[in-house]
Amino acid sequence: MGRWEPDAQGRMRLAALELYLDPGFEQTTVSDIAARAGVTERTFFRYFTDKREVLFDATGQMEHDVLAVLAGLPAEIPALEAAEEALAEGTTLLEERRPYARQRAAAIAANASLQERELLKLAQLGEAVTAALRARGTAHQEAAIAAEAAVAAFKVAFAAWVADDAPGSLAERVRQVMGELRALSAVVAE
């Protein structure tokens, strides 16, 4: 495959995922990824800062989508409901890539360094949602609790969504987990 082939970034993403699954993340070099994708190492570094980031480049787009959904919601919607809606509806990018998301999740689960990066990206998403809720007028602590709860629900829903073939969208799973969270907190409050 020549360097003139389209979608170098996508090819590198898929090449990295294949290599991270076999032979493994630690055994894979940037040179291996570039060679499999038919690009140079220099091209790799035009798109990604390191070999971990190749699996996380779409998180910026997801964060953008989540924040766009949140910005479009009426101001009177309570913070927790707004955060839930944003995390449910702002993840359509993943919805379109379920097979890739499954493989990506398997590669991440097999390596502590990738797990660490995943947690960092989720923490950044939580901070971004918190800031957006605060910009809507939500008090700081309430915004942080709502954002972190919605991100935690997303994390649990995503893990279930990639683990099975059950029908239903990721958005439905996020809403289901948030419903379970509300039920748990109602029991605690009694």
Side-chain angles (χ1 to χ4, degrees), residues 51-107:
K51 74 177 193 174
R52 288 182 299 175
E53 195 60 29
V54 72
L55 291 185
F56 297 95
D57 70 312
T59 57
Q61 181 62 49
M62 189 178 102
E63 181 178 309
H64 174 269
D65 294 348
V66 166
L67 296 178
V69 169
L70 187 56
L73 295 174
E76 64 272 4
I77 293 178
L80 187 60
E81 290 176 36
E84 174 184 348
E85 187 66 16
L87 267 295
E89 292 302 322
T91 57
T92 55
L93 174 70
L94 295 172
E95 202 68 59
E96 299 162 1
R97 300 164 68 182
R98 191 173 190 177
Y100 174 82
R102 280 188 173 137
Q103 291 179 316
R104 180 184 171 277

Side-chain angles (χ1 to χ4, degrees), residues 140-171:
H140 179 71
Q141 186 166 332
E142 182 181 343
I145 292 168
E148 293 300 327
V151 169
F154 166 78
K155 183 179 177 218
V156 169
F158 179 79
W161 181 72
V162 296
D164 64 37
D165 288 323
S169 69
L170 178 55

Side-chain angles (χ1 to χ4, degrees), residues 114-160:
L114 295 175
Q115 291 169 24
E116 179 182 334
R117 181 66 63 102
E118 176 89 327
L119 292 173
L120 175 64
K121 295 295 185 174
L122 287 171
Q124 290 171 344
L125 179 60
E127 290 169 8
V129 173
T130 297
L133 289 171
R134 290 196 66 215
R136 290 169 49 98
T138 305
H140 179 71
Q141 186 166 332
E142 182 181 343
I145 292 168
E148 293 300 327
V151 169
F154 166 78
K155 183 179 177 218
V156 169
F158 179 79

Side-chain angles (χ1 to χ4, degrees), residues 3-26:
R3 287 184 291 197
W4 62 87
E5 292 291 322
D7 193 21
Q9 187 175 15
R11 290 195 328 269
M12 287 184 287
R13 190 182 302 118
L14 289 174
L17 182 57
E18 291 168 359
L19 291 165
Y20 293 171
L21 291 170
D22 185 29
F25 176 78
E26 297 297 336

